[in-house]
Amino acid sequence: MSDELLERAISRRAVEAALWGVPAVNFEMMLQALQRDVQGAPNQIVYWSRLLDWKNQTLTPNPDAVYLMAFFDTSDGPVVLEIPPAVGGSITGSVDSAWQTAVADVGIAGIDAGKGARYLLLPPGFDQPVPDGFEVLRPETFAGFALLRSNLGGSSDADLTAAVHYGLQVRLYPQSAGPDGQTVFLDASDVVFDARLPEGIDFFVALNRRVQAEPWLTRDKAMINMLATVGMVKGAPFEPDEATTALLIDAVTEARAWIDRRYTDLFTTGFAPTARWVLPAEPALVEAMTTDFANPDTYPTDARAMTYTWAFFSAKTLGTGQFYLMTIADHDGRDLDGSQHYRLRVPPQVPVTLYWSVTAYDRATHTLIRDMPWASRSSNTPNLHIGDDGSVELHFGPTPPTAGESNWIPTPEGRRFEALFRFYGPTPQLYDHTWILPDIEGIETEPRH
């Protein structure tokens, strides 16, 4: 085989491997942040004892909820996840595999429906008897995580304290430890929890960690030979030479450009008539992720790659516990520019049973914008100004409007941003479009007094 032919084969297959591997790399970076940034380990829970700020550098996290991330690893046997009854608080969450395929929803919108439950996470291929008293879950991988949100009951400091206290009733421990197994909680509030997707060869290094740690899934066996071409073989060290490394770096750049193209194209059709807000996931992917890829005739890896460059986690039933709308442009179709000023009028009677929020993220990294005092405003924001008709007028921009900071979301000068609107406990009025979220509108800079 000529050197040129081999280089072309490596380049082609490396691009496809990069697209295929995005969700696993996304998970691996969160796992690395657990181990590096908070000195944690699998089968421990990372939590935030206050609402998130920019130091949480996961992809599009929710800064208006108390987050817990329960990282599990069943390599040494089953693991127990206990969700408390919804008394004095509630959990909205999902258990995901290392490929971020939802295994089950838990909490008030999940299997236990707020009654609480002990979930038993089994290793792949586990065939031993299971004791009574557990909801049995079978992730497709040894490792994975549960993303849990302890919902706030209001906007006061006491509400935040109560949500944190309730969240700390969650338990995670190996089944072998018995019902008295200890749960280790790690507070990440004061550290930079950096789970951004890596660039260059670091992407393939992270992918190799997951390939080595997890079993091959039947749907992915076509990748075995493809990865071998780029030097990644299960059970062998990943040590690409200088020439291959250069090709792999170029492949990551090309894959990211393809993903960015698909991401931009996603915003051509709004969720509601004339709206620039979209559900930021392709329908084929939503079906695949919520049915564990049950349709044998589809495998939307490109759509999956696009989604997991801007987000993490998936829900088993989208639209029950939460729903999302995202935009990258204003009413006139211009990219949202952090140097400009914008207004969003949230109509009254937002169709939710829990709360709503809107957050600004860095368009380039899809993370909370670094060094900003806050990233969002929500129906739980203290001192949020509400109009006489129940509507809320929010402002985006590098400086606050004349009315003050209560309804202001700061944005980065000289950088593009994107906005994500969250509905927790969505109701039918959202889906039948009897309630519509207007576009973000550009406005002139208001003078400061």
Side-chain angles (χ1 to χ4, degrees), residues 136-373:
V136 175
L137 302 180
R138 297 181 179 272
E140 61 193 358
T141 55
F142 291 107
F145 70 106
L147 178 63
L148 309 173
R149 308 170 197 82
S150 183
N151 297 307
L152 277 73
S155 59
S156 70
D157 290 342
D159 291 320
L160 175 60
T161 300
V164 173
H165 177 74
Y166 177 81
L168 294 177
Q169 297 179 51
V170 173
R171 300 186 68 206
L172 181 74
Y173 55 89
Q175 184 195 16
S176 60
D180 295 325
Q182 296 298 306
T183 299
V184 177
F185 289 95
L186 304 159
D187 188 354
S189 296
D190 294 319
V191 302
V192 177
F193 191 84
D194 190 354
R196 292 172 297 167
L197 286 178
E199 302 288 344
I201 194 61
D202 290 341
F203 181 95
F204 282 98
V205 170
L207 179 58
N208 180 64
R209 291 195 194 102
R210 281 299 98 210
V211 167
Q212 300 301 328
E214 303 295 354
W216 280 108
L217 306 180
T218 299
R219 65 175 181 262
D220 288 327
K221 286 196 171 184
M223 294 302 301
I224 297 175
N225 192 55
M226 201 171 289
L227 289 176
T229 303
V230 305
M232 193 179 300
V233 177
K234 193 172 178 65
F238 177 59
E239 298 173 342
D241 59 25
E242 185 175 346
T244 301
T245 296
L247 294 172
L248 296 180
I249 292 171
D250 288 344
V252 173
T253 301
E254 183 174 336
R256 187 57 186 262
W258 176 242
I259 289 168
D260 287 347
R261 164 71 180 271
R262 290 184 66 101
Y263 179 71
T264 302
D265 289 346
L266 189 67
F267 294 90
T268 57
T269 304
F271 174 71
T274 73
R276 294 197 178 274
W277 295 94
V278 305
L279 171 64
E282 296 182 16
L285 179 66
V286 173
E287 178 188 358
M289 297 295 282
T290 56
T291 62
D292 197 21
F293 297 89
N295 185 341
D297 297 321
T298 66
Y299 194 14
T301 52
D302 281 7
R304 187 178 67 175
M306 183 269 292
T307 297
Y308 286 103
T309 55
W310 70 262
F312 71 96
F313 124 92
S314 67
K316 191 67 174 176
T317 306
L318 182 64
T320 302
Q322 62 278 313
F323 195 79
Y324 310 99
L325 292 176
M326 178 177 272
T327 186
I328 60 173
D330 67 10
H331 176 74
D332 297 316
R334 295 182 293 250
D335 283 352
L336 296 175
D337 181 349
S339 301
Q340 304 300 314
H341 290 257
Y342 302 91
R343 174 176 56 216
L344 170 64
R345 180 185 177 273
V346 181
Q349 298 179 335
V350 180
V352 294
T353 59
L354 292 173
Y355 68 96
W356 60 263
S357 70
V358 60
T359 308
Y361 298 98
D362 189 310
R363 170 80 180 272
T365 62
H366 307 296
T367 58
L368 294 173
I369 301 165
R370 296 181 71 92
D371 300 317
M372 291 293 167

